Amino acid sequence: MFKRRNQGVYYGALAILLILVGLGVAIPDEFQHVTQRLHQQITHQFGWFYLLLVTGILFFCFYLIVSPIGQIRLGNPGEKPDHGTGSWIAMMFSAGMGIGLVFYGAAEPLSHFATMTPSAAPESQEALAEAFRYTFFHWGIHAWGVYAIVGLALAYFGFRKHEKYLLSATFKPLLGDRTSGWIGKIIDVVTIVATVIGVATTLGFGASQINGGLSFLFDLPNNFKVQMVIIIVTTCLFVLSALSGLGKGVKILSNLNLILAIGLLILALILGPSVTILDNLTESIGGYLQNFMAMSFRSAAFASDQRDWINAWTIFYWAWWISWSPFVGVFIARISKGRTIREFLSVVLLVPTLLSFLWFATFGTLSTHLQASGIDLGAFATEEVLFATFDHYTAGAFLSGIAVILIVSFFVTSADSATYVLAMLSEEGNLQPSNRKKVIWGVLLAIIAIVLLFSGGLAALENTLIIVALPFSLIIILMMVSLLKELKHEQAKMGLVITPDRLPKKDQPFKSYEE
């Protein structure tokens, strides 16, 4: 039952959101100017910090995977997972990347190749190699490492320690009962605000891309009125899905997303330059692995002319993943009960990453192949690049139609997941939040997206999300310290060590073929 003492978190978050949205509507130009300057200052002054933090998070995840701690289960000993592995992967993939994959699938490699290259000359072979390597880097295990560590902390304290499913509860080893006071409330308010801002901006971008696809397919006007109708229709869909429960709506939609995404991927592989796609995938994975450390710590300290690109892409992405981690982390934690830490981290880091690699190799090759052949796709807006690319391939209209359906499905899944997470956070971590709270948050998300699209304040809200990432990154650091402290305590209590249970007798080795 929703407890009245947690209404401070709910109303505090609402007040902050109303102020931010009010500024975006009343003074959109001034608000965008101020937030843009803060955004630029943060990426310039703290770029090194983001690079060290995200890479440090990744190494921390690797340590937990290989250490005896990885045996600990996110739940009671022997507890089985709530969801099958396929549905589990589909749900985390839909919530974690979703619209972003379709939005940037063809556009980001094209930009790195032809418009704003990391270091090489535009449209050169070196630029093409960099385009795929850095796209893999931005959407690979670094992103999922950020999501994984937040999700792991929430799942561990929630399912293993039986604490409330709140970010503030993960600080108990450091703060004790003070997590129930004002410090914990601030952490939970920041979590809700970051989640709403992140999802609202994504809904705005998703509506823009759906509109772009419909314009290509049916010559519909690409304007605010159409985008508003799209948001209203999809809001009705995701509210209905949210009311059906996590085990039904989100799971069904997530499985549908995976089927549609794989179907679109296979068609693109067949209809596009198949051999080139597979060559690019293979070569780019090698380039990614070979340059992994250099990219992870690249701050352009000795090549200042390249710093603007790093700020605009790598630092932007790292801040974006950090600011999105409360929403995705809470959701991944909720669906991961019964997994071991080793299984949780291994799957969360690797499986979505490999799917992303295949996705970007395929759609990135489609766009860069056309660009290299003399067809200029750089003139199109980011949300139109995918459809402009399909337009030059066999069955392009059919591919665009599937893409629009996939975007709508991802749109509904992301918003559906967000309404559940926000309702849960608003009711002290209640795993079965009230339908009333789901509907309230669903409607509020839609209203915020519509208002900001109308006022032009969406860019300012995106800047605000990047600004919020800085203080939240400090929360993540403390969360990791708290998590490690509790894991080490449990390791000692359980006597977890890396030693074999049984050794072969002298001169009698174990042989599978003789047993």
Side-chain angles (χ1 to χ4, degrees), residues 391-413:
D391 198 41
H392 293 278
Y393 288 95
T394 304
F398 180 65
L399 292 175
S400 292
I402 296 176
V404 170
I405 296 171
L406 181 60
I407 297 164
V408 172
S409 185
F410 271 139
F411 187 117
V412 173
T413 309

Side-chain angles (χ1 to χ4, degrees), residues 314-334:
T314 303
I315 305 303
F316 171 82
Y317 268 127
W318 280 193
W320 186 270
W321 303 141
I322 289 169
S323 57
W324 254 69
S325 63
F327 158 51
V328 181
V330 170
F331 184 75
I332 292 177
R334 174 64 182 89

Side-chain angles (χ1 to χ4, degrees), residues 346-395:
S346 299
V347 173
V348 172
L349 288 178
L350 294 179
V351 176
T353 293
L354 292 174
L355 289 171
S356 297
F357 285 0
L358 183 56
W359 184 273
F360 282 104
T362 301
F363 296 102
T365 299
L366 294 185
S367 60
T368 56
H369 186 72
L370 289 175
Q371 186 74 24
S373 69
I375 298 171
D376 185 16
L377 296 175
F380 292 93
T382 303
E383 66 269 16
E384 296 176 339
V385 169
L386 181 65
F387 305 109
T389 299
F390 286 156
D391 198 41
H392 293 278
Y393 288 95
T394 304

Side-chain angles (χ1 to χ4, degrees), residues 34 58 93 110 167 238 261 321 417 443 457 463:
V34 171
L58 196 56
F93 189 69
L110 177 70
L167 225 64
F238 76 68
W321 303 141
S417 306
V443 172
N463 291 332

Side-chain angles (χ1 to χ4, degrees), residues 404-475:
V404 170
I405 296 171
L406 181 60
I407 297 164
V408 172
S409 185
F410 271 139
F411 187 117
V412 173
T413 309
S414 296
D416 185 348
S417 306
T419 56
Y420 169 81
V421 168
L422 290 167
M424 189 184 83
L425 295 173
S426 302
E427 298 187 357
E428 287 204 323
N430 178 15
L431 291 180
Q432 302 296 332
S434 66
N435 286 337
R436 178 173 171 270
K437 273 293 189 299
K438 292 179 186 177
V439 173
I440 289 173
W441 280 117
V443 172
L444 281 174
L445 285 170
I447 291 173
I448 290 171
I450 289 171
V451 168
L452 290 168
L453 274 174
F454 175 73
S455 66
L458 204 61
L461 203 58
E462 182 183 334
N463 291 332
T464 304
L465 190 63
I466 303 305
I467 294 165
V468 169
L470 184 61
F472 194 79
S473 64
L474 301 177
I475 291 176

